[in-house]
Each structure stands twice: as C-alpha cells, then as structure tokens.
Amino acid sequence: MNKINEYIIFIFVETFASILIGISIISFILYYYNYDVIKGLEMLLISGFQNIFNIEYMLGRSTFIILTALAFSIPFLCGLFNIGGEGQMYLGGLVCLVIAFYFQNPLLAIILGGLAGAALALIAVLIRIYRGGSEVITTIMLNWILYFLVIYLVITQLYDRLVPHESVKVPKGIRLGSIDIGFLELNTIFIIAIIFVILIYLFLNYTKIGYEIKVVGYSRKTAEYAGININKVYIYSMFIGGFSAGLSGALNVIGYTYFIDSLLSSMYGLGFIGIGVALMGRNNPIGIIFAGIFFSNLVIGGQNMQTSIGVAKELTDALIGILIIALAFPLAYRMLLRYIKIRKGVHE
C-alpha cells in the first residue's frame, strides 16, 4: 500500500511539474509576442468548461481522441508501436458509412467499422510476426494507402450528387444523437466511448490476456519463461488497438458528421494526436479519458485565443503542442528506455 501511495504521489508531482514547465514556456512565448499572458492562459486552459455549449462540444470531440489514444496505448503496453490509428480510423469510418447507407443498421455499421480497423491492424502485426517487418513502417504506409483510397472512393463512388465534395449521408433515422441528463446533453458517441474504455480497463486488469499483455511489455524474457505465447499477445493487442481506432472512425461518421468529405477534415490528424494523448494519460485507459477531454479543451481554448486576442492559428497549435509534449515527455522517456531494453532482451 505504501508503494502504491508513493507511486500516486510521484505521478501527481510529475504531472504538476510538467504542467508548470509547459505553462512557463507558453507564458514566455505569449509575452514575447506582446499578447496578454493571463488572458491567453485562461482561454487556453479553461475555455472548454466555461459554458454548457462548450462542455457538450468538448466531450463530443474528445470521443475520437480518446479512442485513437487507446489504439496506440494497448499495443504499446506489450512493446508494439501502432502508428496506424489514422488509417484504421479512416477505414472504420468508410465501412460504417457504407453499411449505414445501404443497410441502415447502426449497430452493424459500428461493429463492422471497428472490425475493419482491427483487420487493418492485423495486417501490420502479421507482417511483423511472419516476415519480421517493422509495424511502425507498415502502419505508416497503410495510413497513406487508406488516406488516398478513402478520398478516391468518396469523390468517385460515394459522392453526394448535390454536394460533390461530400459523401452520401448517413440516413437520418439511424444517426446517433444525444442524451439529455438534465444539466447538459451528452452525445451518445461519447457515452459509447466511455463504456468501451471502461471495458478495456477491466479487460487489462482482470483477465488472463490482459495480464499477459502487460507481462510481455514488462519483460519479453519473463513472458517466454512463463510460457506466454508472445505472438498471440501481439495479435490480441493489435486487434484491440485497431478495433478502437476503427470504432473512432465509425462513431465520427454515424454520430458526429454523418458523412466523409473529400479532405477527411473531421478525422485527419486524430490518429497521431492520439499518440500524444495516450502518453499524457500514462497509457492507462482511465487516464486517457481525462487526457482526451483535456486536449479537447485545449483545442477550444486555441480557437478562442485566435478569435479573442488575435493569436495566429499556427502559434496556438504550437502552444498546444508544447503543453502536450511537456505532459507526455516523462512517460515517453521511461517507455522508450523500456522499449530499448525489451528489444535487447534485457530483463529490468
């Protein structure tokens, strides 16, 4: 119990120090460019919580970030780098759109969207297992393949005749809306994402496979000595990660935008943002929920800084990036050292 308390205190101090360093750098930059530092920080850090509309928007947008963060986090727990959350999300959204439009079954569309993302992730891990190819290279290549493939299909096969730069729309009767809980309306997709994350948390901490994933990540030699099938663990972890990213794309289409545009603007970049959010959340599913919401709040804050005090978009993006790096760096550094040791087969 004492070790647990010491760890909690350590994480709290580490997080507080990271935030303080990030805020200090941001304050200096705002001051250097002659912006109101106090007002800028207030907008950046708390804009998402200032009114009901912002809270609803913030939670809705955080859905996709949370799920793409989980897509990176689960494979990373066993030593794999799933950089393919972006492409897996695109494919999940595309499959969901097709199923929703032609079969008008929302549950089937969501499940198949998630499975499409999982299937894409399995391609990368099977290449890793049977051909020794790096999952990093494979997933990055698949990201670009899916990016251009989805755009091609949207503008040539699935386009809306009235709005050619957009795809056909999800039928209104099966679109996911929001649930009124009294003081605010929660988007249904956010609730689905939270339930999914909680299930993954329970899976990691209370099932044999979840335990094996963490053992493989801690020490491959220990896992081999214990008789754990490492390849099976790799497959399970990438399947779950890919499903999470595919689910993100599916929920984006069926519960948020209801279509895919020719620039993939509602999904582009979220897979890579998820990597930073996963590290911010300390690779813990519950931590990822709060990290995802916090990042969504930063996005709203950045938009307010642009409109209220005239900060350029490029600068607000840089300020957000600085804070994310500050929060993610401690875990990223520790995990990188562990990853190197795993690759060398050294037991910590």
Side-chain angles (χ1 to χ4, degrees):
M1 184 62 69
N2 288 334
K3 288 186 177 181
I4 295 176
N5 291 336
E6 289 175 3
Y7 178 74
I8 292 173
I9 293 172
F10 172 76
I11 292 297
F12 176 80
V13 172
E14 180 185 78
T15 303
F16 179 79
S18 298
I19 292 175
L20 188 62
I21 292 171
I23 289 177
S24 298
I25 296 173
I26 290 171
S27 299
F28 173 77
I29 293 173
L30 290 174
Y31 175 79
Y32 180 82
Y33 285 105
N34 297 316
Y35 293 111
D36 187 325
V37 176
I38 301 300
K39 189 173 182 180
L41 289 176
E42 179 184 352
M43 289 182 177
L44 183 64
L45 298 175
I46 65 172
S47 288
F49 301 94
Q50 288 182 332
N51 57 62
I52 295 299
F53 175 78
N54 281 357
I55 292 175
E56 293 173 352
Y57 175 73
M58 176 181 66
L59 295 180
R61 286 291 298 171
S62 71
T63 299
F64 322 117
I65 302 167
I66 290 169
L67 291 174
T68 54
L70 202 63
F72 174 81
S73 176
I74 302 304
F76 197 44
L77 287 175
C78 70
L80 294 176
F81 279 82
N82 180 23
I83 313 297
E86 190 87 356
Q88 293 150 20
M89 177 177 54
Y90 296 156
L91 183 58
L94 176 68
V95 171
C96 177
L97 175 68
V98 171
I99 299 300
F101 182 76
Y102 289 105
F103 295 94
Q104 300 192 21
N105 186 322
L107 180 60
L108 182 64
I110 292 171
I111 292 174
L112 290 182
L115 290 176
L120 192 63
L122 287 179
I123 293 175
V125 76
L126 291 176
I127 291 175
R128 160 72 185 274
I129 291 171
Y130 292 107
R131 303 300 299 175
S134 168
E135 72 278 4
V136 175
I137 302 300
T138 307
T139 50
I140 290 175
M141 292 173 67
L142 288 171
N143 283 343
W144 286 110
I145 291 171
L146 265 298
Y147 175 78
F148 289 112
L149 176 62
V150 172
I151 289 177
Y152 171 78
L153 292 175
V154 167
I155 63 178
T156 63
Q157 305 297 323
L158 297 171
Y159 63 90
D160 187 326
R161 296 184 182 278
L162 297 178
V163 191
H165 69 279
E166 295 177 359
S167 72
V168 293
K169 308 302 187 290
V170 174
K172 291 184 178 180
I174 64 169
R175 296 177 181 178
L176 301 184
S178 57
I179 298 176
D180 189 347
I181 61 172
F183 59 96
L184 59 80
E185 290 188 1
L186 277 181
N187 200 311
T188 304
I189 59 174
F190 177 74
I191 298 173
I192 293 173
I194 297 303
I195 293 173
F196 180 76
V197 172
I198 291 173
L199 290 176
I200 294 301
Y201 175 82
L202 296 174
F203 169 81
L204 289 174
N205 290 282
Y206 297 100
T207 68
K208 178 184 176 182
I209 298 173
Y211 173 76
E212 290 177 345
I213 288 174
K214 290 186 285 187
V215 171
V216 172
Y218 178 76
S219 171
R220 178 166 177 159
K221 280 193 172 181
T222 301
E224 291 174 345
Y225 183 78
I228 295 174
N229 187 328
I230 294 177
N231 288 340
K232 182 183 74 172
V233 170
Y234 283 168
I235 290 172
Y236 275 120
S237 65
M238 284 293 279
F239 179 90
I240 295 170
F243 186 92
S244 181
L247 180 63
S248 174
L251 293 181
N252 186 289
V253 169
I254 202 167
Y256 198 78
T257 60
Y258 311 120
F259 63 88
I260 301 175
D261 64 62
S262 59
L263 296 177
L264 297 177
S265 58
S266 67
M267 291 186 278
Y268 184 77
L270 293 179
F272 296 111
I273 288 171
I275 296 174
V277 171
L279 298 175
M280 285 171 60
R282 300 299 187 264
N283 269 344
N284 182 296
I286 305 303
I288 284 173
I289 293 176
F290 292 103
I293 292 173
F294 179 67
F295 180 84
S296 186
N297 166 67
L298 292 179
V299 172
I300 295 174
Q303 293 169 348
N304 285 347
M305 289 175 69
Q306 294 171 44
T307 57
S308 297
I309 60 177
V311 180
K313 181 182 185 302
E314 292 76 12
L315 183 57
T316 60
D317 290 344
L319 297 179
I320 292 172
I322 288 170
L323 193 54
I324 291 174
I325 291 172
L327 286 166
F329 179 78
L331 180 64
Y333 176 73
R334 292 199 299 272
M335 295 299 288
L336 180 61
L337 291 180
R338 180 178 296 180
Y339 179 77
I340 292 172
K341 290 180 179 181
I342 291 171
R343 290 297 194 192
K344 291 181 177 179
V346 177
H347 175 55
E348 294 182 316

